[in-house]
Amino acid sequence: MLKHNIIFLLFIVTQIPMMLFDFNSKSDISNWSTVDDVVMGGRSNGSFKINDAGNGLFFGKVSLENNGGFSMVQYHFETKNVTNFSKVYIRLKGDGKPYQFRVKTNTSDRHSYVAPFNTSGDWEIIEISFETLSPAFRGRKLDIPNYEGNQMEMLAFLIGNKKAESFSLEIDSIVLK
């Protein structure tokens, strides 16, 4: 029994994190794209770029005009097997506003798995457990199980706080552990 516990502990301690994205001044962000409420007639305007510090910067304005109210940046990538991981760690600097972190198991899925998080205005590491990612479609919770953590093909950050506001979210890295 002791031998099995030691092997298990060694596995946990030596588990190599999976880097989903590590921003720098030369990062290729061609697989990152913004989606705003204009797809439904709204007037919000979000952008994404690499800033002078070499971090990803999601910024813009959310508008409530024409039933608008959200902006999102999403990152599409080849299917990743994530069964050996249970949490996402995001090093970021927000603007003190709440955001959502989202994942999709398949880019063709209509729903996402969503976890809200708050930002402090300072650099921080946001920790999100897979088990807390709940299924949603167009802002409505779905009656299906939370994210099972088997595979991932897309992640996203969304702001939609039911108010008109400017926003700025600076992202340094996104890691699975």
Side-chain angles (χ1 to χ4, degrees):
M1 181 70 171
L2 179 61
K3 180 180 176 185
H4 293 291
N5 288 342
I6 291 172
I7 291 171
F8 180 72
L9 285 173
L10 283 173
F11 173 74
I12 290 173
V13 171
T14 60
Q15 181 184 18
I16 299 170
M18 178 187 287
M19 180 64 68
L20 292 179
F21 212 94
D22 187 15
F23 290 95
N24 64 62
S25 61
K26 294 178 175 57
S27 291
D28 176 6
I29 59 169
S30 59
N31 288 339
W32 289 81
S33 60
T34 55
V35 177
D36 297 318
D37 55 25
V38 295
V39 298
M40 301 180 317
R43 300 262 192 264
S44 298
N45 184 10
S47 297
F48 189 73
K49 69 176 187 175
I50 300 294
N51 67 9
D52 293 340
N55 296 311
L57 182 62
F58 175 43
F59 64 101
K61 291 186 181 211
V62 173
S63 170
L64 300 180
E65 291 182 47
N66 291 353
N67 298 314
F70 78 88
S71 184
M72 176 172 64
V73 63
Q74 55 190 12
Y75 171 48
H76 296 272
F77 45 86
E78 293 293 321
T79 305
K80 298 198 183 296
N81 178 334
V82 298
T83 55
N84 292 329
F85 306 97
S86 62
K87 294 182 181 180
V88 180
Y89 293 85
I90 309 156
R91 185 172 185 276
L92 56 75
K93 181 180 180 183
D95 49 15
K97 296 179 173 86
Y99 290 82
Q100 292 178 9
F101 176 74
R102 298 171 155 241
V103 299
K104 282 191 174 188
T105 56
N106 297 291
T107 54
S108 61
D109 289 345
R110 292 175 59 105
H111 67 281
S112 296
Y113 294 95
V114 180
F117 67 92
N118 293 311
T119 62
S120 67
D122 296 318
W123 281 104
E124 59 192 311
I125 296 176
I126 303 296
E127 177 184 319
I128 299 171
S129 295
F130 284 1
E131 63 195 21
T132 65
L133 288 159
S134 59
F137 178 69
R138 292 190 178 163
R140 292 182 182 88
K141 290 194 175 202
L142 302 177
D143 189 21
I144 59 176
N146 283 5
Y147 182 60
E148 294 178 351
N150 294 324
Q151 73 175 40
M152 193 181 290
E153 288 186 0
M154 188 201 85
L155 62 83
F157 296 91
L158 181 140
I159 185 165
N161 297 322
K162 299 183 171 122
K163 60 180 158 181
E165 61 187 347
S166 296
F167 65 90
S168 178
L169 184 67
E170 192 171 356
I171 308 162
D172 174 55
S173 61
I174 306 162
V175 178
L176 299 182
K177 292 184 182 177

